[in-house]
Amino acid sequence: MNILVLLRMVPDVVEELEIAPDGRTLDTEYLRMIVNESDDHALEQALILKERKGGKVTVLALDAPDVDDVLFSAVAKGADRVMKIEGGDGGVTTRAAAGMFAEIIRNEKDLQPFDIVLTGVQAIDDLDALVAPILSHRLGLPYLAIVTKVTPDATGKSVTAIREFAGGVRGEFDVPLPAVLGIQAAEKPPRYVPVAKVRAAMKTSKIESIGVPTMADGGQPLLDVSHMRKPVVSGHAQMLDGEPEDVSKKLAGIFTERGLL
Amino acid sequence: MSGNIWIVAEQWRGKLSEITFESLALGREVADGLGVKLQAVLLGHDVQNLSTSLGMADSVIYVDHTELADPGASAQASALAQLVRQQKPRTVIVPLTNVSLGTGTLLGEQVGAPVVNFCKDLRAADGHIVADCVLYGGKIEATVTPRGDLTVIGLWPGSRPPDKGRSDRNPPVETQTVTFADQPSVKLRSYIEPDASDVDITQQDVLVAVGRGIQSQENVALAEELAASLGGAVCGSRPVIDQGWLPLSRQVGKSGLNVKPKLYLALGISGAPEHLEGMKDAPLIVAVNSDPDAPIFNVAHYGVVADAMDMIPTLKETVLALRG
Ligand SMILES: Cc1cc2nc3c(=O)[nH]c(=O)nc-3n(C[C@H](O)[C@H](O)[C@H](O)COP(=O)(O)OP(=O)(O)OC[C@H]3O[C@@H](n4cnc5c(N)ncnc54)[C@H](O)[C@@H]3O)c2cc1C
Ligand SMILES: Nc1ncnc2c1ncn2[C@@H]1O[C@H](COP(=O)(O)O)[C@@H](O)[C@H]1O
């Protein structure tokens, strides 16, 4: 199987996020960028497919801080090719990014023929739409979201995919190939790769560079962000301070009051 | 241009979802604010009877087609795009649920309209719409104005109480037809129902919920002891389930279950919108998180900034001592 995986760098939200002086964007100075969580699952699912069916995994990403580390770690995990789209001005919207990927996948002859494009289901900063559906539309391919397992069928012309609905209900889908899938979770947790292997990958492999494509629609943003802010903590939570023992006593008191103990 | 506000009525397996009523409540406010009509769009197969519950809208546009029988973003978006081109609404509100995910983006793409994703609130201001969006796992909010005559809004669950969107009125129904191109597409073979043999977390008075902050399977076992001391069960956020530390039947949130225990004790859970969706209505929420900025504190009633692993054993001992 010929599998394309899209990876995206997003701010690590476990860190403190600051708004830039313009009031409309995040302050990037202290941002720690990590790969979007579901993309890591998309890569894992791709590697699992390759292990089962053979083939090739190609990873594509837009240039972003620390993206090289992520691409080399993809190689260390088993990706065959890693490509970086360079020369953009960085601050592209999701929609523009999706448009770029569509152009590249359509026009880079050596990416063809492919069987499947895997993206993460959603990124935490997608203010203006999702990548996978746009890609599917521009490439004229079937699309399925919130996928948690992909199994190749005997014919090689389709896959069976499990998609999540609500309430713990899932659906089993027949997906004709080629297709675009938004991966929520791989069928097993993403593999761990030791730093030494990533270092080795840095020495033995290279990141291919692709220029930013010209976009038919100009890739202009369709939304104006007037301001960003941290949510006003509505004073909702009453914070309990102290040593674990004191806090435990306070909590036990609250539980008793509520008739829970 | 009709310039109306549309909400897409989400129906799944023959029933209207709660978000349909939330969207109706919100859509009503916006339509009234702009002085235009509110229309509900109902897509499906053999579900016209559901239109009687959509009376908060001024009218219902109903499309019946076998291609619309099962949920699927591509068919839904294609049907909506055809209706939008004919009737020219100004805003189409699409639910951001697991059933409808992708529909809004595809619709925006097909009709060339901006899509506002992750919207939690919407209002009319000077004849325009302005949206408040939740980004970065709940840590940042953005106020957004879309450009152009038509906007697609992806609406988070929980924007309005669903009861505000219910009405006894029987709305007029306009039936429309659409066509579908003969293209390869995904097909639902069957549903997989959740495992019913495990503890039913929707029936528990006390839930101890663990998130990624719990760090290891061994610590999940400690949380289980705490839950047992409180006479409850353990549940978790998505990463804990994805790691295989708890079964899918214990997942709370958008893809998992909606729970409303008397006590929800969240340990090492950040409070992403997808998680909050499943537990925000619990009457007593206590959160323990090492990050003072964790969004879970915006919905919790009591918060503790601490290492969950310090709290678990102490709290268990305190509770056990009290219980004697
Ligand atoms: C379509 C879709 C559906 C989804 N459905 C669901 C769903 O059903 N349920 C769900 O939960 N999520 C769902 N998600 C995922 C959701 O977006 C979040 O990624 C997820 O809820 C985060 O889980 P978490 O809070 O455990 O992890 P994180 O966001 O990583 O948070 C971990 C928290 O632990 C804290 N922490 C770390 N160490 C400690 C410590 N020692 N002591 C105390 N605190 C600590 C950190 O400060 C952080 O706040 C869905 C996402 C998508 C895109
Ligand atoms: N700028 C980007 N670079 C690489 N991949 C991206 C980019 N934007 C989106 N993607 C891919 O699409 C997925 C879903 O993102 P989105 O649809 O933007 O929520 C991401 O998790 C990536 O797999």
Side-chain angles (χ1 to χ4, degrees):
Chain A
M1 272 183 120
N2 218 345
I3 308 161
L4 307 183
V5 179
L6 308 188
L7 294 185
R8 167 176 197 163
M9 302 302 285
V10 294
D12 186 350
V13 291
V14 170
E15 308 276 312
E16 195 176 340
L17 304 179
E18 289 296 341
I19 314 280
D22 70 3
R24 299 189 290 118
T25 52
L26 280 190
D27 189 341
T28 50
E29 195 174 337
Y30 303 106
L31 278 188
R32 200 165 81 97
M33 301 295 274
I34 55 171
V35 67
N36 186 42
E37 184 172 4
S38 50
D39 302 15
D40 216 17
H41 285 268
L43 175 60
E44 181 62 34
Q45 187 63 63
L47 296 170
I48 293 172
L49 284 173
K50 176 182 149 179
E51 282 159 8
R52 283 206 193 118
K53 277 298 222 194
K56 197 164 153 182
V57 174
T58 303
V59 177
L60 295 159
L62 295 193
D63 197 9
D66 297 333
V67 72
D68 288 7
D69 295 351
V70 170
L71 291 175
F72 284 123
S73 109
V75 173
K77 288 177 174 184
D80 300 275
R81 271 183 94 182
V82 288
M83 307 175 85
K84 183 164 74 167
I85 300 147
E86 286 181 290
D89 60 2
V92 286
T93 66
T94 300
R95 204 146 168 177
M100 284 185 203
F101 284 121
E103 288 293 314
I104 288 166
I105 293 172
R106 228 189 342 235
N107 297 329
E108 291 280 321
K109 289 288 172 278
D110 63 347
L111 292 176
Q112 322 270 349
F114 61 87
D115 297 295
I116 198 161
V117 184
L118 303 183
T119 80
V121 63
Q122 175 178 295
I124 48 175
D125 56 352
D126 285 313
L127 186 55
D128 71 334
L130 306 176
V131 166
I134 297 182
L135 214 50
S136 77
H137 185 249
R138 299 213 180 163
L139 300 172
L141 301 177
Y143 157 69
L144 189 66
I146 333 179
V147 171
T148 57
K149 186 174 182 182
V150 186
T151 316
D153 295 342
T155 58
K157 293 201 165 66
S158 60
V159 293
T160 300
I162 306 291
R163 172 215 203 276
E164 288 186 351
F165 286 103
V169 177
R170 290 168 296 158
E172 187 183 86
F173 283 80
D174 183 31
V175 181
L177 298 180
V180 181
L181 305 186
I183 302 288
Q184 166 75 272
E187 56 201 82
K188 57 183 177 43
R191 64 196 66 192
Y192 169 78
V193 59
V195 183
K197 263 189 118 175
V198 180
R199 289 226 185 86
M202 285 177 176
K203 294 205 183 99
T204 54
S205 58
K206 77 169 204 324
I207 297 171
E208 296 170 51
S209 171
I210 315 178
V212 168
T214 352
M215 305 254 283
D217 64 1
Q220 290 309 311
L222 299 171
L223 303 178
D224 294 311
V225 176
S226 56
H227 57 283
M228 275 193 181
R229 62 191 164 274
K230 295 189 178 187
V232 199
V233 182
S234 43
H236 204 265
Q238 185 183 329
M239 302 308 282
L240 306 176
D241 303 320
E243 291 300 311
E245 289 74 20
D246 305 328
V247 174
S248 292
K249 285 206 188 93
K250 285 182 202 161
L251 286 175
I254 295 162
F255 301 164
T256 309
E257 223 169 79
R258 301 272 181 137
L260 293 163
L261 288 183
Chain B
M1 168 165 149
S2 82
N4 289 338
I5 305 291
W6 284 9
I7 67 111
V8 176
E10 180 179 286
Q11 60 89 15
W12 185 42
R13 306 176 94 179
K15 274 207 202 119
L16 290 168
S17 316
E18 291 285 275
I19 193 163
T20 300
F21 299 101
E22 299 170 11
S23 315
L24 281 166
L26 178 72
R28 185 76 265 165
E29 287 174 25
V30 178
D32 292 348
L34 292 168
V36 299
K37 291 208 157 61
L38 175 67
Q39 295 180 286
V41 184
L42 178 63
L43 307 173
H45 180 48
D46 281 343
V47 292
Q48 180 159 8
N49 61 314
L50 297 177
S51 65
T52 55
S53 304
L54 302 172
M56 188 55 70
D58 296 303
S59 66
V60 175
I61 301 169
Y62 176 58
V63 180
D64 192 302
H65 200 291
T66 49
E67 290 282 329
L68 297 166
D70 298 319
S74 309
Q76 302 260 340
S78 158
L80 287 168
Q82 293 171 55
L83 299 173
V84 164
R85 284 191 202 105
Q86 280 165 18
Q87 305 208 10
K88 308 207 182 321
R90 74 163 69 196
T91 306
V92 184
I93 300 174
V94 185
L96 207 63
T97 60
N98 270 16
V99 172
S100 297
L101 195 84
T103 300
T105 292
L106 275 175
L107 171 61
E109 173 71 7
Q110 292 189 20
V111 299
V115 176
V116 180
N117 211 4
F118 295 167
C119 174
K120 68 152 197 167
D121 202 3
L122 196 64
R123 60 190 174 276
D126 306 330
H128 297 284
I129 59 158
V130 179
D132 287 325
C133 301
V134 176
L135 303 175
Y136 301 106
K139 279 207 158 175
I140 297 286
E141 288 178 9
T143 301
V144 173
T145 330
R147 297 184 192 170
D149 298 334
L150 167 66
T151 311
V152 178
I153 304 284
L155 185 67
W156 283 119
S159 65
R160 292 292 179 278
D163 282 345
K164 283 182 95 177
R166 295 185 213 274
S167 155
D168 296 335
R169 192 176 149 267
N170 202 351
V173 179
E174 163 197 335
T175 304
Q176 290 288 345
T177 52
V178 297
T179 53
F180 292 99
D182 194 16
Q183 269 186 341
S185 62
V186 303
K187 290 271 174 316
L188 175 68
R189 272 195 218 130
S190 59
Y191 283 112
I192 307 168
E193 302 300 333
D195 173 15
S197 65
D198 188 29
V199 175
D200 182 354
I201 57 170
T202 65
Q203 299 302 314
Q204 300 288 318
D205 280 347
V206 174
L207 285 175
V208 173
V210 292
R212 199 196 318 264
I214 201 77
Q215 290 161 6
S216 74
Q217 186 146 27
E218 294 78 70
N219 289 335
V220 176
L222 297 181
E224 258 161 6
E225 289 175 19
L226 171 61
S229 76
L230 287 161
V234 158
C235 60
S237 64
R238 153 144 243 142
V240 171
I241 311 311
D242 285 349
Q243 278 298 325
W245 295 343
L246 283 174
L248 189 57
S249 47
R250 303 287 180 108
Q251 183 169 322
V252 170
K254 198 180 199 81
S255 307
L257 294 155
N258 270 321
V259 297
K260 205 178 161 184
K262 289 183 184 153
L263 166 64
Y264 192 86
L265 175 56
L267 306 172
I269 292 183
S270 64
E274 290 90 354
H275 187 79
L276 300 187
E277 209 176 305
M279 44 63 75
K280 62 177 182 346
D281 296 326
L284 178 59
I285 300 171
V286 177
V288 180
N289 197 303
S290 47
D291 174 6
D293 285 339
I296 189 81
F297 293 130
N298 302 347
V299 298
H301 302 93
Y302 293 94
V304 184
V305 178
D307 186 329
M309 266 56 76
D310 290 340
M311 283 303 301
I312 293 172
T314 336
L315 184 56
K316 184 186 84 178
E317 292 311 321
T318 313
V319 168
L320 286 178
L322 266 177
R323 290 214 135 154

